[in-house]
Amino acid sequence: MKMKLDKSKAILEGLTLEDFEAIAKNAKALKLLSLESGWNVLQTPEYVTQSQEFRRTADMIAEAAKEKNISRATLGYVSMTVRCVECHSYMRKHRMELN
């Protein structure tokens, strides 16, 4: 979780400074983190969909940074943040249902 937060914060910093290299680098790093086995804590269709959508938004952020499109990168960051919050909420709820 700490690594995900660090990369997310670095994207936000890049957005505020219009540091497109930092934005792209950290978005790509987040996508790679999402592919690691430790990311896949649940094996449900909803969780798989959430993870795919997260990767899609990470790609969108990196692509927007490459194009130096700060507005699109920012919208991607907002979308990614919403996905993070929704997914973590889903995981907490799902874990409570299992207990």
Side-chain angles (χ1 to χ4, degrees), residues 11-21 23-24 60-61 63-78:
I11 292 171
L12 179 58
E13 181 178 350
L15 289 167
T16 60
L17 299 174
E18 289 194 25
D19 182 344
F20 295 105
E21 186 177 321
I23 296 166
M60 180 179 135
I61 296 166
E63 182 181 304
K66 182 179 175 184
E67 296 168 355
K68 298 191 182 326
N69 185 332
I70 196 70
S71 295
R72 186 166 178 246
T74 302
L75 288 173
Y77 181 79
V78 170

Side-chain angles (χ1 to χ4, degrees), residues 6-49:
D6 288 344
K7 299 300 180 192
S8 181
K9 289 176 188 176
I11 292 171
L12 179 58
E13 181 178 350
L15 289 167
T16 60
L17 299 174
E18 289 194 25
D19 182 344
F20 295 105
E21 186 177 321
I23 296 166
K25 173 185 162 190
N26 287 287
K28 290 175 186 176
L30 269 175
K31 181 180 179 181
L32 289 175
L33 281 172
S34 78
L35 295 169
E36 291 182 3
S37 61
W39 181 280
N40 298 306
V41 294
L42 296 176
Q43 302 300 319
T44 66
E46 174 67 21
Y47 185 77
V48 169
T49 299

